[in-house]
Amino acid sequence: INVAGILCAILASISFVLGSVSLGAAVLWSDGCHLVDIITSDFEPIIGSKAAMVANAIWNDTNLAVAFNMTDQLDWQSKFEEGLAVIDDVNVTDIFANQVLSPLDRIQEGINMITATGLGLINQGTTINNEVCPFDDEYTKVDIMEPWLANTDKVSTPWIMKTTGTHADYSRIGDESGSE
């Protein structure tokens, strides 16, 4: 009886230990399954509303742009393609000819029609050199055709400064010449 009693006590103790461990594991397993069900349906109670939006979108295989309602802001490709479609219909050559070359041609025609009388009138205004109109320069047709060369050899401006009563000087930077 002593051996049987000791053996029963040991086996009963082991049974109670194994029973309590398996009961604890079953409870944890069941609670874990319910917790995973809750978490996977909505992460908000666990991690907060902002992070839950991202986690829910990732878990449910939803695009983050859709989850954050930013599809319009990030849909640049369709807008880009619409813009390209508009550009495809534009004839740049015609627009350039009508809006750039045509006005330049009219200006050139006007310059070509300048006569000696016209230059005389221009020079009347630019050689007055008084308080109201302080200019003292005479222009030729070459000056009008290439105005960047008109004053390359001059040190001072053709107009007189009101503040000083003298000509302003054409200051150059570094070794810049008058034609630059």
Side-chain angles (χ1 to χ4, degrees), residues 32-46 56 59:
C33 284
H34 287 294
L35 186 62
V36 168
D37 285 342
I38 291 170
I39 289 174
T40 57
S41 65
D42 187 12
F43 285 96
E44 186 173 350
I46 308 299
N56 286 334
W59 186 262

Side-chain angles (χ1 to χ4, degrees), residues 83-105:
L84 286 179
V86 170
I87 290 174
D88 282 342
D89 297 336
V90 174
N91 186 341
V92 177
T93 305
D94 286 345
I95 291 174
F96 189 78
N98 291 332
Q99 295 181 3
V100 177
L101 294 180
S102 180
L104 289 176
D105 288 341

